[in-house]
Amino acid sequence: MSYREKHVLMEATDVSQSLSRIADEILERGDLDRLALVGIRTRGVPLAQRLAAMIGSKANFHVPVGVLDITLYRDDLTDIASQPLVRPTVLPFPVNGQRIVLVDDVLYTGRTVRAALDELIDFGRPKRIELMVLVDRGRRELPIMPDYVGKHVETSSTQMVSVLLSEQDGRDRVVLMEEAD
């Protein structure tokens, strides 16, 4: 299926401003001595790293960042590839008792977050798990709601949200895509 660009939702400055606002919101909730961020591969990782840097800069402390590869926890694993590429999960801190902010680029059906929760719980029992997404596009299939959102966008089933980040794509931009005719 191919998509064409319909509308630019966020430019680089919007992404940066959203992350700065979310960093402030995370700081306002306190419990910073147990705070850790965990990015979901692929684009959740650089977002978590940026967010950790912003929080660290604003509060003058180091926020640990982990990486989850949810490939083996997906409920559509057999549909995506006969031999999926599995990359390492790296959690350089104990999960037990932590306030974990799970970070992803786009929240849609909730299935990615469900898989991430399953994997994270396999590593221990956090004190609390919160969810941060750059874009919430609605249309959930599972009862999962984000705690921190950069932008809410209602989409149809024929649309897709494409997040470009400088770490992987050379620039920051969020675009609403529509199925090509």
Side-chain angles (χ1 to χ4, degrees):
M1 189 173 313
S2 63
Y3 289 87
R4 69 179 191 295
E5 185 175 308
K6 179 178 180 182
H7 178 70
V8 176
L9 300 172
M10 299 173 87
E11 293 287 359
T13 55
D14 303 314
V15 171
S16 183
Q17 289 171 351
S18 292
L19 290 175
S20 181
R21 176 182 45 80
I22 291 167
D24 289 337
E25 291 174 16
I26 290 170
L27 286 167
E28 287 172 7
R29 293 204 182 168
D31 203 10
L32 301 179
D33 59 326
R34 297 222 169 256
L35 177 63
L37 304 182
V38 175
I40 300 172
R41 285 197 196 272
T42 299
R43 286 174 179 75
V45 175
L47 289 172
Q49 292 165 338
R50 289 185 197 184
L51 200 51
M54 287 180 178
I55 292 168
S57 162
K58 291 173 185 254
N60 196 27
F61 82 59
H62 171 73
V63 179
V65 177
V67 176
L68 279 183
D69 184 307
I70 63 160
T71 303
L72 295 177
Y73 288 81
R74 294 177 59 108
D75 61 6
D76 63 349
L77 182 60
T78 56
D79 296 338
I80 60 172
S82 60
Q83 291 189 326
L85 173 63
V86 179
R87 291 173 288 176
T89 287
V90 180
L91 297 172
F93 49 81
V95 170
N96 287 333
Q98 291 289 99
R99 173 190 173 199
I100 304 281
V101 178
L102 198 56
V103 179
D104 203 8
D105 58 347
V106 178
L107 177 59
Y108 180 41
T109 63
R111 292 184 181 281
T112 296
V113 174
R114 189 233 18 109
L117 290 169
D118 286 349
E119 181 174 4
L120 192 58
I121 298 294
D122 280 350
F123 284 90
R125 184 176 178 167
K127 177 180 180 184
R128 179 169 70 232
I129 301 172
E130 299 169 350
L131 176 60
M132 177 268 158
V133 295
L134 186 60
V135 179
D136 179 356
R137 61 174 284 197
R139 306 185 64 81
R140 219 79 74 237
E141 293 175 7
L142 300 173
I144 291 175
M145 295 297 295
D147 298 280
Y148 311 101
V149 178
K151 186 169 188 74
H152 292 274
V153 179
E154 287 300 316
T155 62
S156 73
S157 60
T158 62
Q159 296 172 324
M160 177 180 82
V161 173
S162 175
V163 174
L164 304 174
L165 297 176
S166 59
E167 294 88 342
Q168 287 152 331
D169 308 298
R171 68 178 176 162
D172 289 351
R173 196 170 201 215
V174 179
V175 180
L176 181 64
M177 308 291 285
E178 193 152 59
E179 281 183 13
D181 297 327

